[in-house]
């Protein structure tokens, strides 16, 4: 029997099973996908999940009193050129002053607000996904293409009849990125091949995107878009509450950064935002904003959108658009290069103006990016479209299908070739101004992230399959038939250093920096990177530089610390041993010294998010190195300080609930059984044991094995819940 779609209502929203699913999907997404993540907040909420969910449910009992928590801004680098000065050897931006690139205004959204926004998304999921159409459906003919045009940030759904149903019970929220992006990239090519061209008819593929899309969506615009999803019989209070939830303001401490960003990007009223960059459900509600645009574009397929220009197809991946048009003879030049350049430029302007008119009708307030609107002719043209996506698809297919050592080496060679060709094609940072330059069908940063991630996976998979030194020798060719682990390590080191160099030249490539350090976590490389970053945080360094370059360095440093705590060098030594040349302990000691230095700096010297990540790294690898005072006015690092002091054995001042939360958290994420027992036993009281047993019965059982009469003074109900035998004193089940 097909389950019935649940109608959105406040009663549904505050149900425990809805909030639990929203929590699970939110926490999983933040931990693995958000640019910025407060890892400790996620873990703390997980330890106290029943209380956390109950508090949210209680808040929803009075929706008219709901106020979303202020956002904290986390400025992250956008694409920009940096360099190492040959004179001072300092790292600095190539463009300064008004020409410097703006920062990406990432937002820290409180976990409570995140979960409620995700819960609202779940209530609307089936309805919105069904309206967008099935992204897995065929687009071979024009009628099929008119059924779906949106591919980005689509929820993981099953097809039930003519409807899409999101899997509530799955921790997976959005569909796989590469699968849908591949459809988005390949669709224009298939459309072009299906067109029956008339004599001398030309076919063009246009790439464009929406300028500062997330930052331009105001709360009233989102409220209007959500209201358009409403059906007869829906509860009006649900939509009124959505208006309150998706209406965020920035924290007063961040006002200077908010106004500076708005001024540089010419955005009106950035003090209020509806889709902060960092909100888990922002991708879903971004699609809600663009539902009318999608429908309008699909209706236009097959029509003339300007004299002599026919729209053959239009599809979208979040704020990226791909459009296919054909032109009749009035657009044909006299086959001279200069005139063809002018034709392409004129056609680009015509398409840009048409797109902007569509936005004005269906998504007021949004703008087409003129600079990022590029066009290439499919077929014979001086300006070819280079299909990097096809190479990526072949690599992905080979990686997914499994491979041996020889096949893995071929994959690594293909990945390196892909990156070299993309760097040669890229004109975004060093635009020659030549209108007919070849145009890759995938962006440079997408290719780089794809290549870096697949190289890491492939390298680690084939390394154990190779001989440690000196592979098999091919007598006929007088060369090694297969590489050794040492040979592979040298290639990996070179690849990792190239990724890091791309970050040095453009700090928005911070993800490449993280992967590079994960592939080759050499403490000497880390020292070199820290040498570039340290002047931005120390007296006598770059402290007097403009704030924007310092924010770039702060964000990069916080990412290095977070990656060091959660991913760098964290591999199974039995399956994926690190190269013998890598001293991971020395790497962590080097980063521990830097983290310990950072937390001693004054609050005005570094931002709260950098201090959080420094605390996190120390908690994981070197809590004893952290000099922490018990009291502080900094609320963002309060729980981090509690955790560090707890791991140091200082817990006399803690409430029983906090002691139990830290005990469970320490055991789950930071210590082994022996160390956990050593820390906890010194501070155990009846109240603290009770709180531990409620939060984590397994930890209580574990502690009982090292504590005489552990269960004696616990209430009978708790002993019964723990399945302790009547009169038992040793924790036996």
């Amino acid at each position: 029997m097909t389950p019935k779609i649940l109608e959105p209502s406040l009663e549904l929203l505050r149900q425990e099973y809805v909030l639990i699913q929203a929590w699970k999907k939110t926490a999983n997404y933040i931990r693995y996908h958000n640019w910025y993540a407060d890892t400790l907040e996620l873990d703390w909420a997980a330890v106290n999940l029943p209380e956390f969910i109950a508090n949210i449910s209680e808040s929803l009992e009075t929706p008219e009193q709901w106020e979303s928590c202020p956002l904290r801004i986390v400025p992250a680098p956008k694409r920009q050129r940096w360099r190492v000065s040959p004179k001072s050897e300092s790292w600095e931006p190539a463009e300064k002053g008004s020409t410097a690139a703006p920062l990406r205004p990432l937002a820290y959204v409180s976990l409570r607000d995140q979960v409620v926004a995700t819960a609202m998304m779940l209530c609307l999921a089936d309805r919105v996904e069904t309206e967008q159409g099935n992204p897995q459906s065929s687009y071979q003919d024009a009628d099929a293409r008119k059924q779906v045009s949106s591919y980005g940030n689509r929820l993981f759904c099953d097809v039930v009849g003519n409807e899409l149903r999101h899997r509530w019970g799955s921790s997976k929220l959005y569909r796989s990125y590469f699968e849908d992006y591949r459809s988005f990239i390949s669709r224009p090519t298939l459309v072009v091949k299906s067109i029956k061209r008339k004599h001398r008819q030309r076919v063009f593929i246009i790439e464009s995107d929406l300028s500062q899309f997330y930052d331009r969506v105001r709360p009233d615009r989102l409220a209007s878009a959500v209201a358009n999803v409403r059906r007869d019989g829906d509860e009006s209070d649900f939509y009124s509450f959505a208006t309150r939830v998706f209406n965020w303001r920035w924290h007063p401490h961040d006002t200077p950064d908010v106004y500076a960003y708005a001024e540089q990007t010419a955005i009106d009223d950035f003090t209020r935002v509806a889709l902060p960059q960092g909100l888990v459900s922002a991708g879903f509600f971004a699609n809600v904003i663009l539902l009318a645009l999608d429908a309008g574009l699909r209706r236009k397929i097959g029509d003339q959108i300007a004299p002599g220009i026919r729209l053959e197809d239009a599809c979208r991946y979040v704020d990226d658009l791909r459009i296919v048009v054909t032109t009749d003879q009035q657009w044909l030049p006299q086959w001279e290069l200069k005139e063809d350049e002018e034709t392409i430029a004129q056609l680009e302007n015509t398409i840009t103006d048409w797109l902007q008119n569509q936005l004005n009708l269906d998504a007021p307030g949004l703008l087409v990016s003129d600079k990022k609107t590029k066009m290439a002719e499919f077929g014979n043209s001086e300006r070819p479209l280079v299909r990097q996506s096809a190479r990526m698809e072949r690599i992905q297919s080979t990686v997914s299908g499994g491979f041996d050592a020889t096949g893995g080496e071929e994959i690594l060679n293909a990945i390196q070739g892909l990156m070299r060709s993309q760097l040669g094609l890229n004109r975004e940072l060093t635009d020659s101004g030549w209108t007919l330059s070849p145009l890759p069908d995938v962006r440079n940063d997408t290719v780089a992230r794809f290549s870096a991630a697949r190289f890491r996976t492939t390298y680690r998979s084939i390394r154990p399959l190779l001989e440690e030194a000196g592979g098999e020798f091919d007598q006929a060719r007088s060369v090694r038939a297969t590489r050794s682990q040492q040979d592979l390590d040298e290639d990996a080191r070179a690849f990792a250093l190239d990724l890091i160099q791309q970050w040095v030249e453009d700090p928005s490539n911070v993800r490449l920096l993280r992967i590079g350090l994960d592939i080759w976590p050499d403490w000497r490389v880390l020292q070199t990177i820290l040498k570039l970053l340290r002047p931005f945080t120390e007296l006598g360094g770059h402290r007097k530089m403009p704030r924007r370059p310092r924010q770039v360095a702060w964000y990069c440093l916080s990412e290095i610390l977070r990656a060091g705590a959660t991913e760098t060098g964290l591999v199974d030594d039995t399956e994926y041993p690190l190269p013998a040349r890598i001293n991971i302990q020395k790497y962590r000691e080097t980063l521990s010294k830097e983290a310990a230095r950072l937390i001693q700096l004054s609050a005005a010297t570094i931002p709260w998010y950098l201090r959080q990540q420094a605390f996190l790294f120390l908690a994981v690898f070197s809590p004893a190195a952290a000099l922490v005072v018990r009291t502080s006015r900094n609320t963002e690092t309060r729980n981090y300080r509690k955790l560090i002091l707890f791991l140091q054995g200082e817990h006399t001042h803690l409430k029983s609930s906090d002691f139990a939360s830290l005990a469970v958290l320490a055991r789950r994420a930071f210590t082994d059984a022996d160390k956990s027992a050593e820390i906890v036993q010194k501070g155990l009281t009846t109240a603290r044991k009770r709180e531990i047993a409620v939060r984590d019965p397994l930890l209580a059982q574990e502690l009982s094995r090292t504590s005489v009469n552990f269960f004696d003074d616990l209430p009978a109900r708790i002993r019964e819940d723990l399945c302790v035998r009547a009169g038992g004193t040793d924790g036996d089940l």
Side-chain angles (χ1 to χ4, degrees), residues 6 56 82 137 154 193 219 238 345 378 512-513 544 560 583 599 616 630 688 732:
L6 298 174
I56 293 178
W82 280 51
S137 62
R154 298 299 304 273
K193 290 181 178 179
F238 177 87
F378 193 91
L512 301 188
L513 170 67
K544 294 184 179 180
I560 292 172
N583 186 340
I599 65 170
L616 177 66
R630 183 184 303 175
R688 289 176 172 181
D732 291 337

Side-chain angles (χ1 to χ4, degrees), residues 248-266:
W248 279 280
R249 294 184 180 273
W250 298 97
H251 195 285
H253 291 172
D254 297 325
T255 299
D257 289 331
V258 170
Y259 279 105
Y261 177 76
E263 180 179 0
Q264 189 178 23
T265 55

Side-chain angles (χ1 to χ4, degrees), residues 507-526:
S508 71
N509 288 322
V510 67
R511 296 188 186 183
L512 301 188
L513 170 67
R514 286 171 45 184
I515 295 177
L517 288 174
D518 192 28
I519 293 174
W520 198 257
D522 189 317
W523 67 272
R524 290 172 289 265
V525 174
L526 176 63

Side-chain angles (χ1 to χ4, degrees), residues 394-551:
R394 287 193 293 270
I395 292 172
Q396 178 66 24
S397 177
T398 307
V399 171
S400 302
F403 47 84
D404 57 12
T406 303
E409 291 184 36
E410 293 175 354
I411 293 173
L412 295 182
N413 291 334
I415 290 172
Q416 291 170 303
L418 173 66
M419 287 198 68
R420 284 193 297 269
S421 65
Q422 184 72 15
L423 289 175
L425 290 168
N426 180 37
R427 297 290 184 269
E428 293 184 357
L429 289 180
T430 56
D431 194 343
S432 65
W434 188 38
T435 308
L436 302 182
S437 58
L439 182 67
D441 65 347
V442 184
R443 290 183 177 180
N444 187 57
D445 54 353
T446 302
V447 171
R449 290 197 298 268
F450 170 87
S451 301
R454 272 61 180 185
F455 187 98
R456 174 173 56 182
T457 300
T458 307
Y459 162 63
R460 286 181 174 166
S461 296
I462 68 173
R463 189 177 185 277
L465 305 179
L466 302 179
E467 297 291 335
E468 186 172 341
E472 296 180 6
F473 194 79
D474 187 336
Q475 296 288 350
R477 300 173 58 193
S478 300
V479 295
R480 295 286 177 191
T482 59
R483 285 186 287 184
S484 65
Q485 287 186 358
Q486 292 180 0
D487 296 332
L488 187 64
D489 290 343
E490 285 303 313
D491 285 352
R493 177 176 179 272
F495 187 84
L497 292 178
D498 182 62
L499 295 180
I500 295 170
Q501 180 180 340
Q502 291 186 54
W503 165 78
V504 171
E505 296 171 351
D506 177 6
S508 71
N509 288 322
V510 67
R511 296 188 186 183
L512 301 188
L513 170 67
R514 286 171 45 184
I515 295 177
L517 288 174
D518 192 28
I519 293 174
W520 198 257
D522 189 317
W523 67 272
R524 290 172 289 265
V525 174
L526 176 63
Q527 272 193 335
T528 304
I529 295 170
L530 294 179
K531 183 179 178 181
L532 296 178
L533 295 169
R534 192 169 293 121
F536 294 93
T537 61
E538 64 183 6
L539 293 171
H542 298 331
R543 291 267 297 277
K544 294 184 179 180
M545 283 190 72
R547 182 172 176 82
R548 204 177 305 156
R550 286 185 289 143
Q551 289 175 320

